[in-house]
């Protein structure tokens, strides 16, 4: 950040995206070379033009940076304290990320609505993890209502993203496992659905794709160690299929 400060602080804001994109690609390259952890993405044709909401599954530190090279001009919703970090926080402000006060729900909602509305007008993509926190592969879904409020207020499509990165880079662990992280960009959910319809569509499309990817990895060559929750989910899926 110290070396690159002059480059991302001058000129148009969009030009500064090369900094995190270079960093993300470097991380992905090192993962491949050092750990043997590759990735494969399908469904790019499902990404609309202009402004919309991106809803990735959240399982690992991997999915916090790995998508950055693919998205045109994303906006992350994050805790405002990150903007107070020298240099890094300056970059977040430069890129107009949405900082929220997690101690006040009312203030947070107002900040999100205001920042997200401005971003959509600029044709940007709002990134929100529907479950809020990292969930282990195979765990019961725990989707929060926050994404629906955003979807309803902005009246734009939501693009779910499924993956099982948590198998290869488990949460709260130092270990990385070799193999291929498969990612599916799913079909957009159109605007205008009721809360029940929207949440049902989001959860079913995302979880069905994650289950399919879980089975692919499990039945594939040299699968990584499966945590107990993922093992239990595999048993359920195979039992229901028989």
């Amino acid at each position: 950040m110290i070396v690159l400060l002059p480059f991302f602080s001058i000129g148009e804001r969009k030009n500064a995206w090369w900094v995190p994109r270079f960093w993300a690609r470097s991380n992905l390259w090192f993962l491949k070379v050092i750990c043997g952890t590759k990735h494969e993405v399908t469904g790019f044709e499902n990404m609309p033009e202009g402004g919309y909401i991106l809803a990735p599954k959240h399982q690992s530190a991997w999915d916090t940076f790995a998508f950055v090279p693919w998205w045109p001009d994303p906006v992350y919703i994050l805790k405002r304290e990150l903007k107070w970090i020298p240099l890094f926080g300056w970059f977040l402000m430069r890129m107009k990320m949405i900082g929220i006060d997690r101690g006040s729900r009312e203030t947070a909602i107002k900040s999100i609505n205001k920042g997200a509305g401005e971003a959509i007008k600029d044709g940007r993509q709002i990134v929100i993890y529907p479950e809020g926190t990292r969930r282990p592969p195979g765990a019961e879904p725990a989707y929060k209502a926050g994404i629906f409020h955003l979807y309803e207020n902005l009246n734009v499509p939501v693009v779910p993203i499924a993956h099982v990165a948590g198998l290869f880079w488990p949460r709260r662990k130092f270990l990385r496992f070799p193999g291929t992280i498969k990612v599916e960009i799913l079909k957009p959910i159109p605007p205008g659905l009721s809360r029940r319809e929207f949440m049902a569509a989001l959860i079913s499309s995302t979880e069905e794709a994650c289950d399919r990817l879980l089975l692919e990895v499990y039945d594939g060559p040299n699968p990584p160690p499966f945590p107990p929750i993922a093992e239990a989910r595999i048993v359920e899926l195979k039992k229901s299929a028989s």
Side-chain angles (χ1 to χ4, degrees), residues 66-120:
F67 304 139
V68 171
W70 316 332
W71 294 335
D73 193 12
V75 179
Y76 282 80
I77 298 172
L78 40 81
K79 57 184 179 182
R80 63 175 182 171
E81 289 82 359
L82 291 175
K83 290 188 175 184
W84 302 344
I85 300 173
L87 298 179
F88 178 68
W90 303 346
F91 184 82
L92 294 180
M93 289 187 282
R94 165 80 167 140
M95 303 309 289
K96 296 184 178 180
M97 299 301 164
I98 302 172
I100 62 170
D101 178 5
R102 297 198 299 182
S104 171
R105 185 174 182 274
E106 185 178 347
T107 303
I109 291 173
K110 287 181 179 178
S111 299
I112 291 172
N113 288 339
K114 182 176 182 294
E118 292 173 355
I120 291 297

Side-chain angles (χ1 to χ4, degrees), residues 2-242:
I2 294 172
V3 172
L4 298 175
L5 178 61
F7 298 97
F8 73 69
S9 59
I10 299 172
E12 292 187 18
R13 177 190 58 77
K14 282 188 178 182
N15 293 340
W17 268 117
W18 76 268
V19 176
R21 283 179 181 144
F22 173 77
W23 173 78
R25 289 189 180 104
S26 298
N27 272 282
L28 293 170
W29 184 82
F30 279 115
L31 274 171
K32 178 180 177 181
V33 172
I34 297 172
C35 307
T37 310
K38 299 174 286 185
H39 65 281
E40 184 180 288
V41 187
T42 58
F44 282 111
E45 69 278 4
N46 291 324
M47 295 173 68
E49 295 292 327
Y52 53 90
I53 299 169
L54 287 157
K57 187 72 175 174
H58 195 16
Q59 291 187 349
S60 167
W62 185 88
D63 58 59
T64 63
F65 71 86
F67 304 139
V68 171
W70 316 332
W71 294 335
D73 193 12
V75 179
Y76 282 80
I77 298 172
L78 40 81
K79 57 184 179 182
R80 63 175 182 171
E81 289 82 359
L82 291 175
K83 290 188 175 184
W84 302 344
I85 300 173
L87 298 179
F88 178 68
W90 303 346
F91 184 82
L92 294 180
M93 289 187 282
R94 165 80 167 140
M95 303 309 289
K96 296 184 178 180
M97 299 301 164
I98 302 172
I100 62 170
D101 178 5
R102 297 198 299 182
S104 171
R105 185 174 182 274
E106 185 178 347
T107 303
I109 291 173
K110 287 181 179 178
S111 299
I112 291 172
N113 288 339
K114 182 176 182 294
E118 292 173 355
I120 291 297
K121 287 179 182 177
D122 291 338
R124 303 182 70 184
Q125 303 78 47
I126 311 296
V127 183
I128 181 170
Y129 296 91
E131 292 176 285
T133 188
R134 287 174 292 176
R135 302 277 293 166
E140 284 286 328
Y143 289 69
K144 305 293 191 294
I147 187 170
F148 172 73
H149 295 306
L150 202 59
Y151 162 83
E152 184 179 42
N153 289 332
L154 298 176
N155 195 37
V156 294
V158 171
V159 180
I161 299 179
H163 63 85
V164 284
L167 293 174
F168 300 91
W169 184 336
R171 63 179 192 152
R172 301 171 187 163
K173 290 189 178 180
F174 177 76
L175 296 175
R176 317 282 186 268
F177 297 104
T180 302
I181 299 172
K182 293 188 177 182
V183 181
E184 287 190 20
I185 302 171
L186 305 173
K187 290 184 178 180
I189 300 172
L193 300 181
S194 68
R195 176 171 175 169
R196 184 172 59 83
E197 292 171 328
F198 169 75
M199 294 303 292
L202 175 65
I203 294 171
S204 62
S205 62
T206 305
E207 295 303 315
E208 286 172 11
C210 286
D211 283 343
R212 184 172 65 254
L213 296 176
L214 199 67
L215 283 166
E216 283 183 21
V217 174
Y218 186 83
D219 293 330
N222 302 316
F226 270 52
I229 293 176
E231 287 277 9
R233 184 59 182 159
I234 288 293
V235 171
E236 289 178 12
L237 292 171
K238 287 186 174 291
K239 185 177 179 179
S240 62
S242 62

